[in-house]
Amino acid sequence: MVIEVHNVCKSFKDVNAVRNVNLRVESGEAVALLGPNGAGKTTLVEMIEGVQLPDSGTIQIFEKTWAKDEHFLRQEIGLALQETRFQERLTVEETLDLFASFYHLGKKRTSEVIDIIQLESKRSTWVVQLSGGQRQRLALGIAILPSPRILILDEPTTGLDPNARRDLWEILEDFKATGTTMILTTHYMEEAEFLCDRIVMMDQGKILAEGSLNQLLDKFGEGDLIEYVIEGSFPTQEAKALSGVLTCRWNEDTGYGRLIVNSISETLPDFLDLIKITAVSLTSLECRRRTLDDLFLAMSGRHLDE
């Protein structure tokens, strides 16, 4: 086991940021801590990376602790934060050379990392001239310079446009293939799904559920969704009686409704027949499998992006 977190708690004045959290991460595993702002994700990883000390509980990394083995652990963990401040008038290469010198690494490693983070064309560009996505790639490059066995990424793509986010995902996916253990905090469910083997859903300092995407959907996400908007009086009782319907909800004020069903293909034809028979106007219809955001909403009462 690479990381073991046992009954860890952390409070700041009257805020219980992390409450009795237990977490185990195996070698080579990619784990996402998924939850909205304020869920306790960053506080938890700050304790794992030695920035914060837990009020109670224990954290072991490679069966070692920060209290006794800080020098060893600093060599094994790479960190990429949501925002990293650089010396603006250094080039990409000079920035990496500077950090490489802290680890007694030479220019060969700098060149390898520039290639990995796909900034070869920006090698001689000042940091101040980089885009947000390029700066995040540079931050990732600094994190992986010493070839750490653990990589911790705290909201690495927050604020990036979709293309920059996807570019960073592809770099991380390649890096994950090297066998590095990875912990990622995020409130983007697509990011957790794309990059990670296991998803840990957090809210208000607690772990709500954990497992692979399919495990979470199978355990907590029973049924598919038929979402619709109706103009007119919707026959809720008749909809509840349709074959395969698990739950039915409709808001008379907004016209929005949602059916949770065993199978879209089983229920949708009967649902459309009901719409036709009752002569109401169907203005919007979407059929889909439940997502992590749906699960989080059911567990916590709020969305991941709140």
Side-chain angles (χ1 to χ4, degrees):
M1 195 63 57
V2 172
I3 299 171
E4 291 189 82
V5 177
H6 182 66
N7 287 344
V8 163
C9 297
K10 183 68 178 179
S11 297
F12 300 97
K13 294 184 179 179
D14 57 346
V15 177
N16 295 318
V18 174
R19 299 190 282 177
N20 292 317
V21 165
N22 292 279
L23 179 67
R24 294 162 61 91
V25 181
E26 297 182 3
S27 177
E29 189 177 19
V31 175
L33 301 180
L34 181 66
N37 293 331
K41 309 182 303 294
T42 294
T43 301
L44 178 57
V45 297
E46 284 181 348
M47 289 188 286
I48 292 173
E49 65 199 29
V51 175
Q52 298 275 1
L53 294 176
D55 295 335
S56 60
T58 60
I59 297 175
Q60 287 193 321
I61 304 169
F62 299 116
E63 299 184 345
K64 299 182 183 295
T65 65
W66 284 106
K68 296 181 179 179
D69 305 287
E70 179 176 352
H71 180 73
F72 169 82
L73 292 176
R74 292 282 175 224
Q75 308 299 311
E76 303 296 335
I77 299 177
L79 307 176
L81 307 179
Q82 181 176 337
E83 182 179 0
T84 303
R85 297 192 178 277
F86 300 103
Q87 181 59 253
E88 302 284 304
R89 296 296 178 177
L90 291 180
T91 67
V92 167
E93 184 174 24
E94 289 168 343
T95 300
L96 287 168
D97 282 342
L98 173 63
F99 281 89
S101 69
F102 300 156
Y103 299 102
H104 307 291
L105 301 171
K107 287 185 174 294
K108 179 181 178 182
R109 181 56 180 164
T110 295
S111 293
E112 291 172 351
V113 168
I114 287 175
D115 184 58
I116 290 171
I117 61 178
Q118 300 173 17
L119 286 180
E120 180 60 44
S121 65
K122 300 293 182 180
R123 177 187 287 265
S124 300
T125 301
W126 281 350
V127 170
V128 70
Q129 297 174 325
L130 298 179
S131 68
Q134 291 164 348
R135 291 170 74 98
Q136 282 301 85
R137 278 189 265 163
L138 179 57
L140 176 61
I142 292 170
I144 66 175
L145 267 170
S147 302
R149 288 195 283 171
I150 299 173
L151 179 62
I152 298 178
L153 305 114
D154 189 12
E155 304 276 3
T157 64
T158 294
L160 300 186
D161 63 65
N163 288 333
R165 184 177 298 135
R166 178 64 64 170
D167 289 342
L168 195 63
W169 288 0
E170 290 176 356
I171 294 170
L172 288 172
E173 188 178 34
D174 291 340
F175 192 72
K176 188 179 78 169
T178 66
T180 302
T181 303
M182 190 165 73
I183 297 179
L184 165 77
T185 74
T186 183
H187 59 264
Y188 297 123
M189 60 183 176
E190 298 90 349
E191 190 161 273
E193 293 172 14
F194 185 84
L195 291 173
C196 296
D197 311 307
R198 180 158 55 100
I199 298 166
V200 178
M201 303 180 74
M202 291 189 67
D203 190 40
Q204 298 181 355
K206 298 185 293 185
I207 291 177
L208 302 181
E210 61 180 292
S212 68
L213 173 62
N214 287 335
Q215 287 172 340
L216 288 171
L217 290 175
D218 289 343
K219 185 174 182 180
F220 300 102
E222 181 183 10
D224 298 328
L225 291 179
I226 299 176
E227 295 180 298
Y228 50 91
V229 177
I230 297 287
E231 289 183 0
S233 180
F234 184 67
T236 305
Q237 293 305 316
E238 288 86 343
K240 288 180 179 179
L242 293 177
S243 175
V245 172
L246 301 174
T247 64
C248 173
R249 190 180 73 184
W250 183 62
N251 186 308
E252 185 175 359
D253 295 329
T254 64
Y256 168 81
R258 183 172 72 170
L259 300 177
I260 299 179
V261 301
N262 283 322
S263 168
I264 291 171
S265 59
E266 175 188 353
T267 305
L268 184 58
D270 292 339
F271 173 75
L272 294 176
D273 286 342
L274 179 62
I275 296 298
K276 185 182 298 184
I277 292 170
T278 53
V280 295
S281 177
L282 179 64
T283 62
S284 175
L285 177 67
E286 180 181 1
C287 302
R288 60 182 176 84
R289 191 182 186 193
R290 295 181 85 180
T291 66
L292 289 172
D293 191 51
D294 295 316
L295 301 189
F296 191 83
L297 178 63
M299 292 176 184
S300 69
R302 58 184 180 146
H303 293 279
L304 285 166
D305 59 1
E306 291 185 20

